[in-house]
Amino acid sequence: MRIADINTVDLEQLHALSIGVGWPHRADDWQFARDLGKGVVALDEVGRVLGSAMWFPHGEDFATIGLVITSPRLQANGAGQWLMEHILAQIPECNLGLNATRAAKRLYRSLDFTAEAVVFQCQGEASSPAEVEIPASVELRALDMSDLSAVAALDKEAFGADRTVLLSRVLLASSGLGLIRNGKIEAYSFCRRFGRGYVIGPMSAASDADAIAISRPHIAEHTGKFLRLDTREKSGAFSDFLSDCGLLVFDTVTTMSRGRPWPEVRERRPAGTPKIYALAGHALG
């Protein structure tokens, strides 16, 4: 086996790798990730891609790790640790976060990652959401690139690190909505093509009510289609809303960190403080 830059291989090879382990990523989803991050692949002697690992910088001292995949026949031979060691060598000073599958948690613990929270992968054929009363003082409107700085500032407060680069790419690839109160964007949501259908995320709001209001139009637009939303909200009005709309918990992953704790996973935050209600995606954090 040898290591190569992930940008040197064909997208269809990466697509085949994810299909081989049952992940939903299309070739376009891989390209989206390559536009945002850096990574490596493991190649065999004839150039077949048998593993991958990526990292995505957010600001100067924090990065997320994702798309760590090894083909089934290599999973018992230490290939995942080998790939991770190459990634960690590239970002030795960074505080790191990732979302680990059940199968990968033991590997990440061995690399000094600490479990912090559970992420609920909610998905299914979306059903028509109930009407939500929007106060007269609140406006929902489409987002465009002129909103990037305001969305990035809100996101940094919620996420704890600067994701301007990610958000600029998401803005171009997604349908975005902003919740405007007193002339200020107080919640945002994005929905884009992904995997078997569409994914909602990232999304930030300061309350369940705002999270429901900002996600409902996306769910209504995709009624009858496959929709996914990854959240750390285990219970409450927002979690109940997702269930009522057909987005049931399909699987869970575990948020883990190395260095300082994952910026957005903190002690109970004061009411009215924005937080991340939907992740950007399993691979992107």
Side-chain angles (χ1 to χ4, degrees):
M1 301 293 295
R2 61 185 175 89
I3 288 287
D5 188 286
I6 198 165
N7 287 302
T8 63
V9 299
D10 188 82
L11 281 175
E12 291 306 320
Q13 291 180 283
L14 297 172
H15 186 209
L17 177 66
S18 53
I19 287 175
V21 295
W23 286 24
H25 297 69
R26 307 166 301 147
D28 286 349
D29 299 325
W30 276 100
Q31 187 56 56
F32 187 86
R34 292 204 302 189
D35 288 344
L36 287 166
K38 300 179 181 180
V40 296
V41 288
L43 303 178
D44 68 7
E45 66 278 3
V46 295
R48 290 175 296 190
V49 175
L50 298 184
S52 67
M54 294 194 71
W55 62 278
F56 306 90
H58 305 299
E60 295 182 357
D61 66 346
F62 181 71
T64 52
I65 292 175
L67 288 166
V68 181
I69 303 174
T70 56
S71 66
R73 66 189 180 96
L74 291 183
Q75 287 174 359
N77 295 321
Q81 180 161 348
W82 183 58
L83 286 162
M84 280 295 298
E85 287 170 352
H86 280 278
I87 290 292
L88 296 175
Q90 294 183 31
I91 43 177
E93 304 301 322
C94 261
N95 297 291
L96 302 173
L98 55 80
N99 292 304
T101 63
R102 291 185 186 90
K105 282 172 65 176
R106 182 177 178 181
L107 165 63
Y108 297 130
R109 285 197 187 101
S110 75
L111 295 170
D112 297 325
F113 283 83
T114 300
E116 293 194 17
V118 175
V119 178
F120 301 91
Q121 181 184 322
C122 303
Q123 65 182 47
E125 183 178 303
S127 55
S128 182
E131 291 293 331
V132 174
E133 185 176 351
I134 305 294
S137 60
V138 171
E139 173 193 2
L140 294 180
R141 68 164 175 82
L143 297 173
D144 59 35
M145 289 302 293
S146 67
D147 297 306
L148 176 60
S149 60
V151 170
L154 174 62
D155 182 80
K156 185 175 182 179
E157 185 178 0
F159 184 78
D162 184 357
R163 296 198 294 178
T164 301
V165 174
L166 166 67
L167 292 167
S168 64
R169 182 68 178 83
V170 169
L171 263 166
L172 293 174
S174 309
S175 170
L177 287 174
L179 185 149
I180 317 299
R181 185 181 284 119
N182 299 321
K184 179 183 177 182
I185 297 176
E186 293 196 354
Y188 72 81
S189 64
F190 293 99
C191 184
R192 70 182 190 276
R193 282 279 290 120
F194 175 80
R196 296 170 55 190
Y198 295 82
V199 63
I200 296 175
M203 179 174 80
S204 174
S207 68
D208 279 16
D210 283 358
I212 291 169
I214 201 69
S215 59
R216 183 193 177 280
H218 294 307
I219 297 174
E221 181 181 355
H222 296 95
T223 295
K225 299 176 182 177
F226 185 84
L227 193 59
R228 173 175 168 175
L229 187 153
D230 293 356
T231 184
R232 296 190 182 94
E233 300 301 304
K234 180 179 181 179
S235 60
F238 179 68
S239 176
D240 292 344
F241 170 74
L242 295 180
S243 296
D244 292 342
C245 294
L247 304 187
L248 305 178
V249 176
F250 171 76
D251 200 0
T252 61
V253 294
T254 301
T255 293
M256 305 184 77
S257 66
R258 187 171 113 154
R260 74 166 184 259
W262 180 286
E264 65 179 293
V265 184
R266 302 170 180 165
E267 298 83 8
R268 187 178 300 277
R269 307 179 75 182
T273 303
K275 64 179 178 178
I276 301 298
Y277 270 87
L279 280 62
H282 183 190
L284 305 176

